[in-house]
Amino acid sequence: MLDERHIGDLMLTEIESAERPSEVLDVRRAMRTARRQRRLTHGAGAALLAVALTVGGLTVPDLLTPDRSPAPLGTAAGSGRTGLPAALTMVDPQRVYVRFGWLPEGLRNLQYQAGLLLSGPGVYLSASNAPGSGQWKGVAVTLYPKGVQPPAPQRDSGEPARPGKTTPGPELNGGTSSFASYSGAEQPEAILRWRYAPDGWAQLKVVGVGGDVRSTAAQVARALRFGDEPTPMPATVAGVPASLRVITVDVQESLDEPNDWYASTTWAPRSSTGDPGQQRARTMTVSVSRYRNITDPTDNKYVEPNTTVAGHPARFGGQNGNESLTVYDVNGANVTIDDSALLPAGGTRALFPAVTLVPEPASWRTHLGR
């Protein structure tokens, strides 16, 4: 049984991943662990998450309405042309709106999230150093929906980040940009903001990489590639109840060998409110990752199967209607279905045959490293 301190730590991991860059793939494991363990103490975990999202102060209705069309295709990146023709009045979780065109050396872990993030609707793209190498160092880009202002950064110390001097930045998207500064930074930090479209803010944050962090931020920003295209995924899922809709897509990849990647799609009940806490309180997530045979029980990635599904080793668990199923080595991939009592009893096992993987999933790569 989890105690309240443990639940709080897990929820804090999720909250921080939305407000500041975090280590790719380590974040994925923390979020997956938080989801599963939250289901064992569903009431306390959901309440903590809802409180944290309320503190974020963002309630934007209808930003994830599937009936709306996303912004049209933007111009490929060039000096001063980094943006979209129109601000995102909705964020389609299954679209790619921004890619990196250039990055400083040493950033090998990439992540793209779109849809209803923990801080509210938006788009998040990051590149970071290897997990376990000390403090986070990297680059993070956030696109905010129409009319939403970038917030102050969160600090590890918990102290409020007080705004400092604002200075002009390079010309981006045909207009001005600015460097914002805040107190409490533990490493060299540059926060660059500009309008990727009228009434639509973009923020690029560089922490501890590239020598002169402001020069690095300007170079990364000028090379960003904006657009609107489907997000490549390693699997399709049929048979999801019509009462659910996609709220978030998360894609991560490590460019180090052996290549490690992860892609997930999260559904939630259809809702007339845009409050993130309410929409994320109960979800169903299907995630796929590259299979790696880890037999050492002392390895933190080792999980002992307790059943078989379709002839594959698997681990199944859950209670009070909540279920978690991971099926290992399905043609070189792991398939995980986490359900917060949105499916009927046994629903994770019933949904597994409806997950169709791409051919040779072990060699699949995300769009992030291309």
Side-chain angles (χ1 to χ4, degrees):
M1 178 65 69
L2 295 173
D3 60 28
E4 292 184 0
R5 181 188 58 79
H6 194 185
I7 298 170
D9 289 344
L10 293 169
M11 292 303 103
L12 181 60
T13 299
E14 290 201 18
I15 295 162
E16 289 179 340
S17 74
E19 298 298 338
R20 65 176 180 86
S22 302
E23 290 180 350
V24 176
L25 303 177
D26 276 4
V27 168
R28 174 246 296 181
R29 285 190 288 272
M31 291 179 71
R32 181 186 295 171
T33 300
R35 279 196 300 266
R36 290 176 180 170
Q37 298 191 359
R38 179 185 64 196
R39 291 186 177 103
L40 299 180
T41 52
H42 181 69
L48 279 167
L49 183 56
V51 168
L53 291 166
T54 301
V55 171
L58 178 60
T59 302
V60 186
D62 299 328
L63 281 174
L64 289 165
T65 304
D67 295 335
R68 296 189 180 184
S69 299
L73 183 65
T75 304
S79 180
R81 298 290 299 171
T82 49
L84 293 170
L88 297 170
T89 56
M90 59 86 70
V91 180
D92 187 336
Q94 298 173 295
R95 312 295 290 188
V96 177
Y97 293 106
V98 63
R99 300 170 181 253
F100 288 121
W102 178 87
L103 286 168
E105 293 293 330
L107 303 183
R108 307 293 294 168
N109 296 298
L110 308 173
Q111 180 177 28
Y112 178 82
Q113 293 178 305
L116 189 62
L117 311 183
L118 293 169
S119 56
V123 177
Y124 175 83
L125 173 68
S126 73
S128 66
N129 57 346
S133 57
Q135 288 182 308
W136 190 95
K137 300 178 187 293
V139 177
V141 179
T142 305
L143 303 185
Y144 297 93
K146 182 177 180 179
V148 178
Q149 298 286 328
Q154 288 190 350
R155 300 304 189 196
D156 291 340
S157 65
E159 292 293 324
R162 297 184 301 275
K165 184 179 180 181
T166 298
T167 57
E171 181 178 315
L172 296 171
N173 197 32
T176 60
S177 70
S178 61
F179 285 105
S181 62
Y182 290 87
S183 64
E186 297 180 349
Q187 302 180 75
E189 173 185 87
I191 299 175
L192 180 61
R193 293 169 177 166
W194 72 98
R195 294 185 186 273
Y196 69 87
D199 208 20
W201 283 101
Q203 175 176 284
L204 189 151
K205 184 176 180 180
V206 176
V207 178
V209 297
D212 183 343
V213 289
R214 290 196 171 190
S215 296
T216 298
Q219 190 168 353
V220 173
R222 289 191 180 105
L224 290 173
R225 296 175 292 176
F226 284 72
D228 173 19
E229 59 191 69
T231 305
M233 296 293 279
T236 57
V237 185
V240 175
S243 59
L244 305 181
R245 63 171 176 169
V246 177
I247 61 167
T248 308
V249 166
D250 183 2
V251 179
Q252 304 175 30
E253 182 170 10
S254 169
L255 301 181
D256 291 325
E257 295 298 334
N259 174 250
D260 192 10
W261 53 260
Y262 165 87
S264 72
T265 303
T266 298
W267 289 260
R270 295 182 181 275
S271 172
S272 60
T273 176
D275 176 66
Q278 181 178 351
Q279 293 198 54
R280 293 180 63 94
R282 294 179 64 203
T283 60
M284 191 270 289
T285 298
V286 176
S287 59
V288 183
S289 60
R290 185 181 179 188
Y291 170 73
R292 293 170 61 186
N293 184 26
I294 299 172
T295 58
D296 182 2
T298 64
D299 192 304
N300 61 8
K301 297 181 182 178
Y302 174 84
V303 178
E304 185 176 5
N306 59 8
T307 187
T308 60
V309 173
H312 303 285
R315 186 164 187 86
F316 176 80
Q319 63 184 36
N320 300 326
N322 305 307
E323 295 183 358
S324 179
L325 172 69
T326 298
V327 184
Y328 297 96
D329 196 12
V330 184
N331 297 329
N334 296 336
V335 178
T336 297
I337 304 173
D338 290 314
D339 172 45
S340 298
L342 296 176
L343 301 175
T348 55
R349 289 174 178 265
L351 188 62
F352 172 74
V355 179
T356 302
L357 297 171
V358 298
E360 301 181 2
S363 61
W364 183 81
R365 303 293 292 266
T366 76
H367 71 280
L368 292 165
R370 299 171 187 171

